[in-house]
Amino acid sequence: MNEKVRTLIIGSGPAGYTAAIYAARANLSPVLYEGMQPGGQLTTTTEVENFPGYPEGITGPEMMEELKKQAERFGTDIRFGRATATDLSEAPYKVTIDDNKTIEAETIIIATGATAKYLGLPDETKYSGMGVSACATCDGFFYRNMTVAVVGGGDSACEEATYLSGLASKVYMIVRKPYLRASKIMQDRVFNNPKIEVLFEHETLGLTGENVVQGVNLVKRRGQADEENVHLPIDGFFLAIGFTPNSEIFKPWVETDETGFIKTIPGTPKTNVPGVFAAGDVADSHYRQAITAAGTGAQAALEAERYLQK
Ligand code: NDP
C-alpha cells in the first residue's frame, strides 16, 4: 500500500533542510528524502566562510550536519532514499522512492539541487578538494595572490574568472573554441581585465602536482598541423562548463527552461503544478549560493503551509 504523507521534501541541501525546519515547526509533518548525496553539494566543499552565523567559518559537511540536526529537532522524518519517478498529474502527488516504494503527498517541495559538470578526467577526482573546484565563490578565497585556471567560455566562466581576478594574481581561461560563447558585456569585462589571459583553442589533458594541483597539461589546436602541448604552473583549477539541474524526474509535469532548471513564478517558489514548490539550485541558474537556497527553502515551506490551509 502507498504511504500517505502531508509534506514531502526531496533533497537534503540547504534548501531541503531549511524547508524541513520551517515545515516541521508549522506542524506540516514533513518527510524528507536525502537523495544520492546526503547534505548535497556543500559536502564536497572544504570551508564555508560566507554563510551568516559562522564568524569563524565551518566545513561544508559540518554545516550540513547542523542543518540536519535542526530539522530533526522539530520532528522532520529524515530518510535515506532517492526519488526515482513521479506522477504529478493530480493531487495527492505520487513519488516513487528507490524504484520500489510509492509515497502519496499532499504537497511537495523539490530541492534536488544541481550537479556541476566536470570534464571527466581522472585527475579531477584525484585532486578533488586539493586544487580542483567548481565554485569560485566558495573556494576562490584560498587562492589569494596565486595562479588559477578557469575552464569554459560561457557566462559562468567569464563571471568566475572575473571574480577570481579580484583574489588571484593571474587567471587563465581555458577555452576549447576560438571564441567565447559568453554575452558581449561579459566578454568585454574579461578582455579588459589585465589579470585574465584567455587561451583559445586549448583543451585540458590532465593535472600535475604532488598531493595538490601544481600545474595543468593542455593541448593547443588539437588535431591541427600546428598542434602543440602546453604546460602551465597553476595552483587552482576551476570548472565553469555549466550545471545540470536534477530535475529529470519532474519534467513530464513541471515546466523547466531549456537547460532543465525548474521554472517558478518570479519571486516565489511556485511551479506550474499547484502545491508543488521548487527551492534551491534546481530552480536557480543564477545565484547558486547556500544562503539563497536556504532562503527559497523557507519560502517553499511557507507556501506549502498556505496551500495546505486552503
Ligand atoms: P554555457 O553552456 O553557456 O557555457 C558552457 C561553456 O563551457 C561553453 O564555453 C562550452 O564550450 C564550455 N564547455 C562545455 N563542455 C566543455 C568541455 N567538455 N570542455 C571544454 N569546455 C566545455 O554554460 P554557463 O554555465 O556559462 O551558462 C549557462 C546559462 O546561464 C547561460 O544561459 C548563461 O547566459 C547563464 N548565465 C548568466 C550569467 C549572467 O548573466 N551573469 C552568469 C552565469 C550564467 P563551447 O562554447 O565550445 O560549447
Side-chain angles (χ1 to χ4, degrees):
M1 215 183 65
N2 296 348
E3 182 186 353
K4 292 184 168 51
V5 308
R6 272 191 100 195
T7 308
L8 179 65
I9 299 170
I10 310 172
S12 57
Y17 281 141
T18 306
I21 292 164
Y22 273 73
R25 293 185 78 254
N27 285 335
L28 306 187
S29 317
V31 170
L32 180 149
Y33 277 92
E34 289 186 315
M36 282 245 284
Q37 187 183 29
Q41 295 174 77
L42 273 183
T43 56
T44 63
T45 314
T46 41
E47 198 76 3
V48 180
E49 295 177 333
N50 54 8
F51 200 95
Y54 297 103
E56 307 302 326
I58 184 167
T59 70
E62 273 171 338
M63 190 174 106
M64 296 321 298
E65 205 43 50
E66 303 257 73
L67 286 183
K68 181 178 179 177
K69 272 193 224 149
Q70 199 172 348
E72 277 173 332
R73 180 179 154 210
F74 299 108
T76 306
D77 181 349
I78 296 175
R79 304 174 181 178
F80 286 117
R82 188 165 74 98
T84 47
T86 62
D87 176 355
L88 309 182
S89 54
E90 58 180 0
Y93 303 116
K94 295 175 194 64
V95 176
T96 310
I97 304 294
D98 293 332
D99 291 318
N100 63 23
K101 170 179 178 156
T102 303
I103 303 272
E104 284 186 18
E106 288 174 50
T107 180
I108 296 179
I109 295 172
I110 302 170
T112 44
T115 309
K117 288 188 199 159
Y118 283 79
L119 297 170
L121 301 171
D123 283 345
E124 290 168 319
T125 322
K126 182 176 166 189
Y127 295 101
S128 174
M130 307 303 286
V132 172
S133 169
C135 179
T137 337
C138 318
D139 299 325
F141 192 67
F142 304 111
Y143 298 92
R144 270 169 303 166
N145 303 319
M146 295 188 192
T147 302
V148 298
V150 177
V151 187
D155 280 327
S156 292
C158 290
E159 200 169 66
E160 304 270 88
T162 306
Y163 175 81
L164 287 167
S165 73
L167 299 159
S169 55
K170 169 93 190 172
V171 181
Y172 292 106
M173 277 183 76
I174 303 169
V175 183
R176 64 181 173 183
K177 291 212 174 114
Y179 56 86
L180 293 177
R181 183 200 287 216
S183 54
K184 175 81 172 60
I185 183 165
M186 300 295 271
Q187 294 197 26
D188 287 348
R189 239 172 251 171
V190 162
F191 292 134
N192 292 327
N193 188 321
K195 279 195 187 172
I196 304 177
E197 181 177 341
V198 184
L199 304 172
F200 288 112
E201 296 184 89
H202 281 68
E203 288 173 47
T204 307
L205 296 175
L207 299 166
T208 60
E210 219 164 283
N211 302 321
V212 296
V213 170
Q214 290 172 314
V216 59
N217 287 328
L218 306 168
V219 56
K220 184 179 177 187
R221 288 176 57 78
R222 191 203 286 265
Q224 306 296 315
D226 56 352
E227 177 183 309
E228 191 188 326
N229 285 327
V230 178
H231 176 81
L232 296 175
I234 57 164
D235 305 292
F237 183 76
F238 287 82
L239 282 309
I241 58 172
F243 281 80
T244 309
N246 302 319
S247 60
E248 208 54 43
I249 58 167
F250 309 102
K251 273 186 186 166
W253 323 100
V254 173
E255 278 179 25
T256 59
D257 70 11
E258 61 287 349
T259 31
F261 288 95
I262 293 178
K263 282 190 186 171
T264 52
I265 297 173
T268 81
K270 293 179 186 172
T271 71
N272 60 305
V273 182
V276 176
F277 306 97
D281 286 10
V282 73
D284 174 14
S285 64
H286 197 74
Y287 297 109
R288 298 196 295 245
Q289 300 301 299
I291 190 66
T292 52
T296 53
Q299 288 177 329
L302 292 168
E303 289 296 345
E305 186 181 3
R306 275 173 212 157
Y307 172 82
L308 290 174
Q309 276 166 0
K310 281 188 201 155

